[in-house]
């Protein structure tokens, strides 16, 4: 075999090997939601391709303004994919933004054949490796607080039951409710969720979604407008 033929063949084999390694990897995510008094914080991390691609999203504060104005928030984004990213953006969650979000969901449903089934199948391949949720609270009266503990336990386990039918729970969730018997109302909660999805299945799900969109007349155009609207 001549050298000019061997070099392209070796390069092709390396590309195929790298592609197979990427498909064999997993996309890992970590979500942390915390509220302590008036201090709110949401953190979300994504790692892929053996940690070479990283995204970090953080909402350091949520400010409730009014029923009309909604919630004001700031989103900080950083990461490497493959170049370093760093941005900060303020947003508003109000009646208008919720209405627009619902409109976008309806557009996506109409622009995709079987979107609900696709979403259900994709979620079923997500593995939740860690799920802890602890809550400490007081309603100001010992008797009322003690009564509310049972209701909160029931609510949490109902939500976990719904989640377990959507994704795969690898380990038993750590659910805690601790009543605080004090005269002043108080509330603190923290939820931590970690999981992963096979990169190979993520690629397959993306191709399957593209196929479903292409089967709807004008589906690709509607998705393009929808995504451009989300980026603006």
């Amino acid at each position: 075999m001549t050298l000019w033929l061997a070099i392209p063949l070796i390069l092709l084999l390396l590309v195929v090997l790298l592609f197979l390694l990427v498909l064999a990897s997993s996309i890992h995510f970590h979500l942390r939601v915390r509220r302590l008094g008036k201090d709110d914080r949401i953190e979300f991390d994504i790692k892929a391709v053996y940690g070479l691609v990283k995204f970090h999203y953080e909402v350091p504060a949520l400010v409730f303004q009014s029923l009309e104005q909604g919630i004001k928030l700031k989103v900080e984004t950083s990461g490497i994919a493959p170049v370093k990213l760093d941005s900060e953006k303020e947003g508003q969650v109000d009646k208008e933004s919720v209405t627009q979000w619902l409109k976008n969901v309806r557009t996506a449903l109409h622009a995709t054949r079987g979107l609900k089934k696709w979403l259900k199948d994709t979620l079923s391949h997500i593995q939740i490796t860690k799920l802890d949720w602890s809550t400490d609270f007081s309603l100001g009266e010992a008797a009322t607080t003690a009564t509310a503990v049972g209701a909160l336990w029931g609510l949490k386990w109902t939500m976990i039951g719904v989640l377990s039918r959507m994704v795969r729970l690898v380990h038993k969730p750590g659910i805690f409710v601790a009543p605080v018997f004090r005269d002043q109302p108080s509330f603190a909660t923290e939820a931590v969720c970690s999981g992963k999805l096979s990169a190979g299945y993520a690629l397959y799900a993306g191709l399957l979604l593209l196929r479903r969109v292409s089967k709807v007349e004008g589906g690709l155009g509607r998705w393009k407008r929808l995504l451009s609207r989300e980026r603006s």
Side-chain angles (χ1 to χ4, degrees), residues 80-163:
I80 303 174
V83 296
K84 188 174 182 181
L85 304 174
D86 220 343
S87 66
E88 186 176 301
K89 184 179 179 181
E90 290 190 354
Q92 193 84 15
V93 180
D94 52 16
K95 182 180 179 181
E96 182 180 350
S97 62
V98 172
T99 301
Q100 182 61 49
W101 180 81
L102 293 174
K103 182 179 178 182
N104 292 344
V105 171
R106 288 193 294 268
T107 300
L109 287 171
H110 294 152
T112 311
R113 178 176 294 181
L115 180 59
K116 291 182 180 179
K117 184 181 184 306
W118 174 86
L119 182 60
K120 181 180 179 181
D121 292 341
T122 303
L123 288 176
S124 68
H125 284 80
I126 295 178
Q127 297 182 42
I128 302 299
T129 55
K130 179 180 180 181
L131 179 57
D132 294 334
W133 186 7
S134 60
T135 303
D136 304 336
F137 74 99
S138 171
L139 297 180
E141 294 182 3
T144 308
T145 301
T147 303
V149 168
L152 186 55
W153 270 110
L155 176 62
K156 282 192 174 186
W157 281 112
T158 299
M159 295 175 67
I160 295 299
V162 173
L163 181 65

Side-chain angles (χ1 to χ4, degrees), residues 16 18 22 43 46 49 63 69 75 87 92 110 126 144 151 156 171 175 182 187 190 199 203 214 220 231-232:
V16 172
L18 288 174
V22 170
E43 299 175 5
I46 299 179
V49 196
V63 180
Q69 293 178 309
V75 180
S87 66
Q92 193 84 15
H110 294 152
I126 295 178
T144 308
K156 282 192 174 186
H171 302 292
I175 305 299
R182 59 176 61 170
F187 181 80
E190 182 175 24
L203 177 61
S214 63
L220 290 173
R231 288 194 295 265
S232 61

